Amino acid sequence: MKDITAPTVEALRDDILRHLTYTMGKDADHASVYDWRMALSFALRDRIVEPWFAATRQTWDQGRKRVYYLSMEFLIGRVLEDAAINLGLRATCRDAMTSLGVDFRAVVEDEPDAALGNGGLGRLAACYMESMASLGCAGYGYGIRYEHGLFRQRFEGGRQVETPEDWLKQRHPWEFERPEAAYEIGFKGTVEKRDGKSVWVPGETVMAEAFDMPVIGWKGKWANTLRLWSATPTTLFDLARFNHGDYAAAAEPEALARTLSRVLYPDDTTYQGKELRLKQEYFLTAAALHDIIRRHVSGGYALKDLPDHVAIQMNDTHPAIAGPELVRILVDLNGMSFEDAIEITVKCLGYTNHTLLPEALERWATYLMGSVLPRHMQIIEQIDAWHLKNNPARPHYVGVVKHHEVRMGELAFVTAHKVNGVSALHSELIKQNLFPELDKLHPGRIINQTNGVTPRRWLRMANPALSRLITETIGTGWEADLDRLRDLEPHVDDPGFRTDFAAAKRQNKDALANWFLETQGVKVDPAAIFDVQVKRIHEYKRQLLNILQTIAEWHEMRNNPQADYQPRVKIFGGKAAPGYHTAKEIIRLINDVASVVNADPLTGDRLKIVYPANYNVSMAERLIPAADLSEQISTAGKEASGTGNMKFALNGALTIGTLDGANVEIRQEVGAENFFLFGLTAPEVMERRKDPEHARHAILASQPLQDVLQMIAEGRFSPEEPERYHGLVHNMWHSDYFLVASDFEAYRSAQAQVDRAFADPDRWWRMAALNTARMGFFSSDRAIRGYMAEIWETESAL
Ligand code: 26W
């Protein structure tokens, strides 16, 4: 493919002014930041369209296999700057804006995040889309165009308050509406037998309408499409009712249909068998499959050849209705035999598992599945029977339908040719704990694809200071070949390089300190250790362990003020699921502790706690490059992989962490001596839980922990309501399922090691630089290459 030609500053400037005038209808004297952002976005978008067309054309011409990534979540974040960088036009954009008297940074930061995801799973999908485009892996992402993404978080009196998110209130310049790509999606109704064939007659229908976003790869060499479905009514409104003056009732069909793509479910912790959620999952999956089949057939190919042209990846079980739906399309709509249909289905589908938490595994009551998707329920039973027939050794307690529930994990497993976990440890645990019997029946089906993150967004874009230093030191090209960061290794022994590395970090810390002062009203010392834990708030991620240790540290500083402490800024970020009571209690505790500690003149600048509300992708881009210490402290065996852990280490933060998820592999790569390890291992966790009094024993063995729990129980951090945390403290003594107490002392001593290492700058910056140098493996390019070779059986078009 031909390289796109880079415009000059003047040419881009003309494009921007043209869009300002003719697309936005504004003149430069009256344009707002928003107008400028739109004008610049459209000018950039114009540059994407050609490579996008070219990639699409080439895929058709070469009859290429396409990869379809089905996901209920795509946590994209901001698009403008990322697109500019991949087009090689960031500097040109900045200069063009400057020449127009507009602040490029302000324009970039005016863009709202596209927050169509909860956390790790959604952000992974976004990184994978970017890597597929950068590698020339022809494909589509399919998702839902939620009108409201993940809720906005505010704190009121330290408590989380949720408000609706409204990213589509403003025009979204990166999408193209495709009214011609629309499918009717059915629900409910009945299944009729006609000439021995099953015919589903839905009782409700909605339209799925496509909106396309181009995803431009590195250097603009390839572009794919993210196709998001929006629900619209099949009948606009009830004219008869309208004419009778019953306006609300007349609009009912429309309101009902639109509900389907109205909001993202904000829960990634507990599964709730809600009908609307099932409908959303089917809505996405059915629209995607109809689109896939239409494209295949219009290419002139036979349905039996589907697996040669189509690979479909299910991002967790959320789109796992894909198996039954594809069987239905092949059998009911195209007259294929069940045996042929299921064989084709299995060849096309892959399933990625992202969690072992039992409360997050999807299971639908058969009565609900049978009422929302009656024909699919029949096919699910048929798939289950087919699987048993082919695997007579299957134990009686294993199956897709058990105890009046459809187990979506099992369904995804038996309808996919490959099942993968997202880190080496996680994939082992899938084999041992989640699907041990299915693993025996299908040896080799479960494989591992350790997660990765895109270095374009998470290093090149988010950390210009460090990126510049890297390029000055080892030259260009590392953005597309992250293993090249290894070339930094010899330089870590050069004091000049270490000084520059530290200076880049300091620049990011200064910027963050200013932002904290401006937005949070908290003054922090940029020379302090910036100690960061950002991720969803969940008991297994143990933000509680972090804040309890913070209290212990504060207590120690007050009792022994002369001792030599490394100043610290404890930074927290993250949202709790709205219905997750304990997680919300932890948020409140962190904020309560922050109020007391930050106001303490005795500890002053030596300890500060900052918890900016509404953590999201763009906040991550601010925090991660400024971090010295990355908190990855989940109970071993619970975090499937983590991807934040990778972003931090790549940006030269050291990790304090447990042997969980991808921490295990990060530690292997960067070297055990450059990682602060602590805590029980996954087998030790299982063992420890056998002692019903593990919590009490651990607390009694730690005076500092007893003191901390005592302070909380006495109301030191909630003087206006001393009993506020009695439940939490009681739970620590009597249950503590996530073993906070058992790991407390180990965590404290690891933190003490952090202090000692930070006190020796030569040592610290050597370790930090080695982290960056050795993180190449965690590029999402490596991960996508793994999927292409081992699951999708497809090759790069570049
Ligand atoms: C049905 C409710 C629900 C919704 C989402 C349950 C579970 C989820 C996700 C699977 C939760 C999730 O985001 N998992 C995270 O996936 C990341 C990408 O693989 C991993 O890095 C994280 O460890 C894992 O928690």
Side-chain angles (χ1 to χ4, degrees):
M1 284 194 38
K2 77 177 169 68
D3 266 359
I4 40 163
T5 45
T8 59
V9 171
E10 292 68 36
L12 188 66
R13 184 193 142 114
D14 289 348
D15 288 353
I16 296 167
L17 281 173
R18 186 168 47 80
H19 275 295
L20 188 73
T21 312
Y22 297 106
T23 310
M24 300 310 291
K26 283 281 178 96
D27 69 38
D29 292 339
H30 299 95
S32 63
V33 180
Y34 171 77
D35 298 319
W36 285 116
R37 174 163 69 83
M38 289 297 142
L40 175 58
S41 300
F42 287 121
L44 267 184
R45 197 181 77 168
D46 291 349
R47 309 259 156 198
I48 295 179
V49 169
E50 254 180 61
W52 193 27
F53 285 179
T56 308
R57 215 175 301 123
Q58 188 181 329
T59 305
W60 278 107
D61 291 350
Q62 301 179 346
R64 263 185 193 285
K65 187 170 187 176
R66 294 181 183 86
V67 173
Y68 296 102
Y69 199 85
L70 269 58
S71 178
M72 286 287 280
E73 308 192 6
F74 286 92
L75 232 187
I76 305 163
R78 290 175 178 153
V79 180
L80 171 57
E81 192 180 15
D82 195 54
I85 285 195
N86 275 2
L87 289 168
L89 294 178
R90 175 157 67 172
T92 314
C93 287
R94 189 197 48 218
D95 296 348
M97 290 318 259
T98 308
S99 78
L100 290 160
V102 183
D103 177 4
F104 177 60
R105 232 26 266 160
V107 168
V108 164
E109 288 178 15
D110 179 63
E111 182 176 353
D113 278 38
L116 309 183
N118 273 286
L121 164 138
R123 182 54 234 176
L124 186 77
C127 281
Y128 281 6
M129 287 304 299
E130 198 276 344
S131 271
M132 284 168 64
S134 291
L135 291 173
C137 170
Y140 280 73
Y142 280 120
I144 293 180
R145 183 176 177 269
Y146 301 107
E147 211 175 301
H148 305 285
L150 187 63
F151 65 84
R152 284 208 193 100
Q153 177 195 54
R154 278 188 299 123
F155 296 137
E156 263 176 30
R159 273 183 293 190
Q160 169 172 301
V161 177
E162 303 98 24
T163 53
E165 186 280 344
D166 217 3
W167 71 299
L168 287 177
K169 205 167 118 186
Q170 296 180 338
R171 196 160 165 187
H172 187 58
W174 302 100
E175 67 180 8
F176 293 87
E177 189 171 1
R178 305 284 189 218
E180 77 283 5
Y183 302 95
E184 196 172 299
I185 311 294
F187 303 99
K188 305 205 167 176
T190 53
V191 180
E192 292 172 11
K193 276 273 179 202
R194 290 183 200 155
D195 309 330
K197 282 206 214 155
S198 297
V199 179
W200 175 28
V201 185
E204 296 172 10
T205 53
V206 302
M207 296 304 292
E209 191 195 324
F211 287 75
D212 287 351
M213 275 174 68
V215 182
I216 185 81
W218 178 239
K219 295 208 164 157
K221 290 189 186 145
W222 189 263
N224 284 326
T225 304
L226 175 58
R227 176 161 276 194
L228 302 179
W229 301 102
S230 182
T232 58
T234 30
T235 46
L236 243 191
F237 59 92
D238 192 327
L239 194 59
R241 278 177 165 168
F242 188 88
N243 288 337
H244 275 99
D246 196 351
Y247 306 120
E252 238 170 54
E254 166 151 31
L256 258 168
R258 292 200 192 278
T259 306
L260 268 181
S261 52
R262 184 93 66 200
V263 356
L264 165 79
Y265 270 86
D267 203 336
D268 66 349
T269 52
T270 46
Y271 158 79
Q272 308 173 333
K274 292 261 169 58
E275 179 176 313
L276 179 61
R277 168 79 183 187
L278 178 59
K279 284 180 154 181
Q280 285 187 335
E281 293 182 356
Y282 179 64
F283 173 75
L284 156 69
T285 308
L289 282 174
H290 284 296
D291 206 39
I292 292 167
I293 299 280
R294 180 199 47 76
R295 193 169 296 115
H296 178 76
V297 171
S298 73
Y301 304 110
L303 283 176
K304 69 169 176 45
D305 297 329
L306 202 65
D308 297 336
H309 298 270
V310 168
I312 300 171
Q313 194 64 26
M314 300 183 282
N315 200 22
D316 216 275
T317 57
H318 316 152
I321 197 69
E325 173 69 358
L326 187 49
V327 169
R328 187 185 74 86
I329 292 173
L330 296 176
V331 174
D332 293 5
L333 307 185
N334 290 280
M336 202 179 274
S337 75
F338 174 82
E339 277 68 28
D340 290 347
I342 190 77
E343 196 190 317
I344 289 172
T345 298
V346 171
K347 280 188 185 156
C348 288
L349 292 182
Y351 157 45
T352 306
N353 172 282
H354 294 269
T355 182
L356 300 167
L357 299 181
E359 64 272 30
L361 299 176
E362 291 187 294
R363 297 162 325 219
W364 295 101
T366 49
Y367 79 85
L368 187 65
M369 185 67 83
S371 106
V372 176
L373 300 171
R375 177 61 184 141
H376 296 78
M377 188 62 234
Q378 293 177 343
I379 294 173
I380 289 167
E381 302 270 13
Q382 205 175 353
I383 290 173
D384 201 14
W386 157 83
H387 184 260
L388 181 59
K389 195 177 117 220
N390 288 326
N391 300 278
R394 190 176 96 178
H396 66 89
Y397 53 87
V398 176
V400 177
V401 185
K402 287 284 160 202
H403 308 297
H404 309 289
E405 283 184 330
V406 182
R407 300 175 176 175
M408 299 305 271
E410 279 78 355
L411 176 64
F413 191 115
V414 305
T415 55
H417 69 289
K418 284 286 187 300
V419 175
N420 76 283
V422 290
S423 72
L425 174 66
H426 171 66
S427 297
E428 270 320 299
L429 294 173
I430 291 179
K431 287 188 200 162
Q432 285 165 26
N433 303 337
L434 191 60
F435 299 127
E437 300 88 358
L438 289 173
D439 179 42
K440 277 195 203 83
L441 295 172
H442 305 280
R445 187 173 294 190
I446 301 178
I447 62 169
N448 175 245
Q449 298 297 342
T450 298
N451 284 168
V453 301
T454 168
R456 274 75 64 181
R457 180 178 288 257
W458 293 108
L459 185 52
R460 174 68 194 261
M461 180 180 111
N463 199 341
L466 181 55
S467 297
R468 213 170 298 125
L469 174 62
I470 293 172
T471 302
E472 281 165 16
T473 311
I474 63 168
T476 54
W478 52 269
E479 295 96 331
D481 179 8
L482 206 60
D483 289 326
R484 281 217 37 231
L485 291 181
R486 285 264 174 190
D487 293 349
L488 291 170
E489 266 198 46
H491 298 273
V492 305
D493 293 320
D494 169 3
F497 176 76
R498 288 199 302 268
T499 305
D500 292 345
F501 195 95
K505 182 65 78 180
R506 180 57 188 259
Q507 191 182 326
N508 299 332
K509 290 171 73 175
D510 284 337
L512 184 61
N514 287 335
W515 186 76
F516 281 159
L517 189 60
E518 278 164 26
T519 62
Q520 314 297 308
V522 184
K523 196 175 144 296
V524 302
D525 172 9
I529 303 175
F530 279 20
D531 171 339
V532 187
Q533 186 172 22
V534 286
K535 47 184 80 250
R536 285 297 283 260
I537 310 298
H538 196 292
E539 288 165 277
Y540 85 79
K541 295 179 189 278
R542 299 200 294 193
Q543 283 91 357
L544 183 59
L545 176 59
N546 188 345
I547 195 66
L548 295 183
Q549 184 271 334
T550 306
I551 298 171
E553 180 78 1
W554 177 66
H555 190 52
E556 166 86 34
M557 280 182 177
R558 289 171 58 92
N559 286 339
N560 192 359
Q562 303 319 330
D564 194 18
Y565 297 100
Q566 290 302 314
R568 280 219 198 206
V569 184
K570 284 274 187 180
I571 299 161
F572 292 86
K575 299 175 182 179
Y580 190 171
H581 173 77
T582 308
K584 289 184 145 180
E585 230 176 356
I586 294 168
I587 290 179
R588 193 176 193 189
L589 177 63
I590 296 170
N591 282 321
D592 279 350
V593 174
S595 304
V596 172
V597 168
N598 292 349
D600 185 356
L602 280 181
T603 45
D605 257 6
R606 289 187 299 171
L607 184 62
K608 291 285 180 216
I609 303 169
V610 196
Y611 190 170
N614 203 41
Y615 176 66
N616 56 9
V617 173
S618 49
M619 196 192 292
E621 290 159 7
R622 217 184 261 290
L623 297 183
I624 292 171
D628 294 306
L629 188 66
S630 158
E631 299 269 355
Q632 307 300 338
I633 59 178
S634 52
T635 313
K638 293 290 174 191
E639 189 70 271
S641 162
T643 43
N645 49 2
M646 301 168 186
K647 295 164 196 165
F648 279 104
L650 180 61
N651 280 279
L654 299 185
T655 305
I656 183 167
T658 49
L659 277 182
D660 200 14
N663 294 355
V664 178
E665 291 152 86
I666 292 175
R667 180 165 168 269
Q668 266 163 19
E669 290 288 314
V670 305
E673 65 286 3
N674 302 309
F675 186 109
F676 298 99
L677 179 72
F678 76 96
L680 300 172
T681 61
E684 285 166 357
V685 164
M686 309 252 247
E687 195 52 38
R688 179 88 193 155
R689 286 217 182 99
K690 290 184 186 158
D691 173 6
E693 303 224 73
H694 60 79
R696 206 171 60 85
H697 291 150
I699 296 170
L700 291 176
S702 166
Q703 189 59 48
L705 180 54
Q706 282 174 55
D707 294 346
V708 166
L709 293 176
Q710 182 72 25
M711 284 189 275
I712 297 173
E714 280 171 359
R716 270 298 277 283
F717 308 103
S718 55
E720 63 288 7
E721 188 192 346
E723 66 283 8
R724 182 173 297 161
Y725 297 110
H726 279 188
L728 192 142
V729 172
H730 182 272
N731 180 64
M732 276 295 299
W733 278 93
H734 300 286
S735 158
D736 189 23
Y737 182 76
F738 294 99
L739 301 167
V740 170
S742 294
D743 273 344
F744 185 78
E745 279 303 319
Y747 180 56
R748 239 167 50 91
S749 68
Q751 288 287 18
Q753 289 174 38
V754 170
D755 267 355
R756 284 195 291 278
F758 198 74
D760 178 354
D762 274 351
R763 178 169 166 226
W764 183 274
W765 294 111
R766 204 171 176 284
M767 292 167 78
L770 280 174
N771 264 264
T772 298
R774 296 175 176 174
M775 283 296 290
F777 179 76
F778 300 96
S779 167
S780 43
D781 296 346
R782 183 271 311 150
I784 287 299
R785 283 200 184 93
Y787 280 84
M788 290 171 73
E790 292 166 40
I791 304 177
W792 302 334
E793 298 179 26
T794 152
E795 276 161 17
S796 166
L798 293 176

